[in-house]
Amino acid sequence: MSDPTRTRKLRLRAALAVAAVTGLGATALTALPAAAAGEAVTVQYRQSATGSDQVEPWLKVVNTGTSSVPLSQVKVRYYFKADAGASYSYACSWAVKGCANLTGTFGTLAHPTATADRYLEVGFTAGAGSLAPGADTGDMQLRFHRSNWQPLNQNDDYSFGPTQTAYANWSKVTATVGGVPVWGTAPAGNEPTPTPTNPTTPPPTGGAALFDDFDYTGHTDPAINAHGWSVRANSGGPGVPGATWAPENVTFAKEGTNSIMNLRSSTAGTGESTRHTEILTRATKFKNGTYAARVRFSDAPLSGPDGDRVVQTFFTINDLKAPMADDYAEYDFEYLPNGGWGEPANILYTTSWETYRPDPWEAVNAHSEVRASYAGWHDLVLTVDDHAIVYYVDGQEFGRHDARYLPERPMSINFNQWLIDLAGQTSTTPRAYDQKVDYVLHVKDQVLTPAQVAAKLGAYRSAGTTFEDTVPAAQ
């Protein structure tokens, strides 16, 4: 039997997805960028596999303009039709610029077509350097496959050219420079949209906000509770069965002039010796708007053997009222320094959840990921409006998920660090991992650019404000 409420909701989400494209002219940041004079690139493509186990788009980016182009400003999209229920994994086999200087993330199209509902977006780190006029990147031998290695069908993929066995310009792959579309034709209704300019435009004044600089003396500081936080001590998942959630492992200290929160998780190779850490808001009152935090991920333990399948996070969530309930919501930054969930090495995920069923496992979500080390400090920004969920890492868009995954109910704000299992490192030698947090910010019902987040943070710190919460309770 169909659910009329769910049908109406899905229709509304489809309408909102359309509005995300057609209504851009109404955004508060209306100025759109113009490509810098002389900046132009084309994309050359050849296919290296017509089989059914993986897609192998080999690409070159060519500077056809008159000025040098920083590759860190270039994004290339390859469009495809996902197989039913499939998730995908990206890999770089070889690249002249070095695979470590390439990134690959998957996104979902707002307007699915018969030949495309997903894309692989390829970007570059600063280490890739710049392209002089007339220069190209050389080979980028890329591939992706279903995460479970089940067969896939390339023949219905928009960007696939089965007869393209030598490099040539290929307009079914698109490119942007600094967010400005400069090459190719996207599937109908999914043209890349220029990103707003004026990144230093001051953030809107007013509006309800939560800001916390985590200036506390310890996990028992009464101000933590007064400010609406709970340091988790109860048992249960996620993570290693039998592990303890240890509030005493959430500590606070000064680093320079900033107060820093540290989440330390540890193990000696048994469930009983494993200590996880989490801090979360008691109130579930946060929904649309901007979420931001500065987080330091770590790749290695403080001492002892490495290899544990650690998860380091910043996320929002509400409760699952029933299996596959469609008013569930969760939006995650999750860094796995040693892999896990089928991944062999470090990977950063951003995931937007519609719902799930724990047993038997079934998930409805969208995710973007980059397989690279993210050890060190990173600025994480998440925005939620009536059209999309967008994730940024260090000022650059990392993932964008469409209106199907928008929240129906308010959420809490959480940080935690935990071990998926004990299979990554079986030693019984003690070891501990640290995840640090500088601050957290939520601005209700306002979508801020990463630069506007930085400006708002600067204003709080200039004023000496260490905590503010004017977000009203959920109605």
Side-chain angles (χ1 to χ4, degrees):
M1 181 179 294
S2 65
D3 181 344
T5 301
R6 180 169 176 80
T7 301
R8 287 195 300 273
K9 192 172 295 180
L10 291 173
R11 287 175 179 166
L12 172 61
R13 289 189 170 191
L16 291 174
V18 173
V21 175
T22 60
L24 281 169
T27 183
L29 298 172
T30 55
L32 298 177
E39 278 190 357
V41 301
T42 61
V43 180
Q44 296 183 352
Y45 158 83
R46 60 157 292 193
Q47 60 84 4
S48 181
T50 59
S52 62
D53 60 344
Q54 61 183 341
V55 180
E56 295 190 31
W58 290 14
L59 304 172
K60 289 182 182 180
V61 176
V62 183
N63 183 355
T64 54
T66 59
S67 63
S68 181
V69 176
L71 281 170
S72 62
Q73 297 296 308
V74 176
K75 300 285 188 184
V76 176
R77 287 186 178 182
Y78 179 97
Y79 302 88
F80 64 99
K81 181 74 171 180
D83 299 279
S87 63
Y88 292 86
S89 297
Y90 156 85
C92 171
S93 298
W94 186 79
V96 172
K97 291 291 183 181
C99 284
N101 291 319
L102 273 62
T103 62
T105 62
F106 293 98
T108 304
L109 292 181
H111 293 281
T113 71
T115 58
D117 57 9
R118 304 271 186 92
Y119 59 82
L120 168 67
E121 183 171 87
V122 180
F124 301 85
T125 70
S130 298
L131 281 185
D136 66 63
T137 58
D139 280 354
M140 297 186 292
Q141 298 180 8
L142 312 178
R143 56 188 173 90
F144 63 92
H145 56 84
R146 293 183 61 167
S147 298
N148 58 6
W149 283 101
Q150 291 296 305
L152 51 76
N153 177 25
Q154 292 193 69
N155 293 317
D156 60 355
D157 291 350
Y158 176 86
S159 294
F160 179 53
T163 63
Q164 193 78 5
T165 57
Y167 278 114
N169 289 352
W170 193 246
S171 63
K172 289 190 173 183
V173 175
T174 61
T176 60
V177 177
V180 181
V182 296
W183 172 259
T185 303
N190 295 281
E191 294 74 16
T193 304
T195 54
T197 55
N198 255 345
T200 56
T201 300
T205 57
L210 166 70
F211 172 73
D212 201 328
D213 211 21
F214 295 115
D215 189 7
Y216 302 110
T217 59
H219 75 281
T220 59
D221 188 332
I224 294 178
N225 182 70
H227 290 169
W229 295 101
S230 176
V231 183
R232 184 175 175 181
N234 62 300
S235 61
V240 175
T244 300
W245 292 85
E248 67 274 11
N249 286 0
V250 178
T251 59
F252 304 86
K254 291 285 187 179
E255 291 192 3
T257 59
N258 286 355
S259 51
I260 302 295
M261 176 172 66
N262 190 70
L263 284 70
R264 178 165 297 176
S265 295
S266 60
T267 188
T270 66
E272 293 74 18
S273 69
T274 302
R275 302 288 184 267
H276 296 154
T277 45
E278 181 168 20
I279 186 169
L280 64 153
T281 62
R282 293 194 309 278
T284 53
K285 62 178 182 177
F286 309 98
K287 194 179 175 191
N288 286 18
T290 300
Y291 301 81
R294 188 166 182 256
V295 177
R296 186 184 185 279
F297 299 127
S298 59
D299 278 354
L302 299 171
S303 63
D306 197 0
D308 291 294
R309 294 167 178 167
V310 181
V311 184
Q312 302 172 349
T313 74
F314 166 44
F315 65 103
T316 68
I317 193 171
N318 60 30
D319 58 320
L320 181 72
K321 292 186 175 297
M324 302 304 286
D326 81 338
D327 62 350
Y328 177 74
E330 180 180 348
Y331 307 108
D332 302 329
F333 289 92
E334 293 174 310
Y335 180 54
L336 283 60
N338 293 313
W341 300 326
E343 292 292 331
N346 38 27
I347 184 170
L348 178 62
Y349 283 107
T350 59
T351 308
S352 301
W353 292 79
E354 166 63 5
T355 190
Y356 72 97
R357 178 174 56 208
D359 188 21
W361 178 255
E362 181 179 359
V364 181
N365 61 32
H367 60 86
S368 304
E369 65 278 329
V370 170
R371 290 167 178 81
S373 172
Y374 277 85
W377 285 104
H378 296 283
D379 296 308
L380 310 179
V381 176
L382 159 69
T383 65
V384 182
D385 61 14
D386 288 338
H387 312 310
I389 304 104
V390 185
Y391 299 84
Y392 299 88
V393 177
D394 298 330
Q396 300 296 313
E397 184 175 318
F398 185 97
R400 179 182 294 264
H401 304 149
D402 65 36
R404 288 175 289 180
Y405 306 98
L406 293 174
E408 291 88 356
R409 291 189 290 122
M411 302 167 287
S412 63
I413 296 174
N414 305 52
F415 298 89
N416 67 18
Q417 184 180 217
W418 49 282
L419 278 66
I420 297 171
D421 53 39
L422 297 172
Q425 173 54 260
T426 58
S427 170
T428 56
T429 301
R431 59 268 186 190
Y433 297 81
D434 280 0
Q435 174 188 340
K436 297 182 178 181
V437 183
D438 184 5
Y439 76 91
V440 68
L441 170 68
H442 170 69
V443 181
K444 177 178 168 61
D445 296 332
Q446 292 182 0
V447 171
L448 305 183
T449 66
Q452 289 176 320
V453 168
K456 197 165 185 69
L457 171 64
Y460 278 122
R461 288 184 165 164
S462 294
T465 302
T466 60
F467 176 80
E468 174 184 79
D469 186 4
T470 57
V471 179
Q475 301 300 313

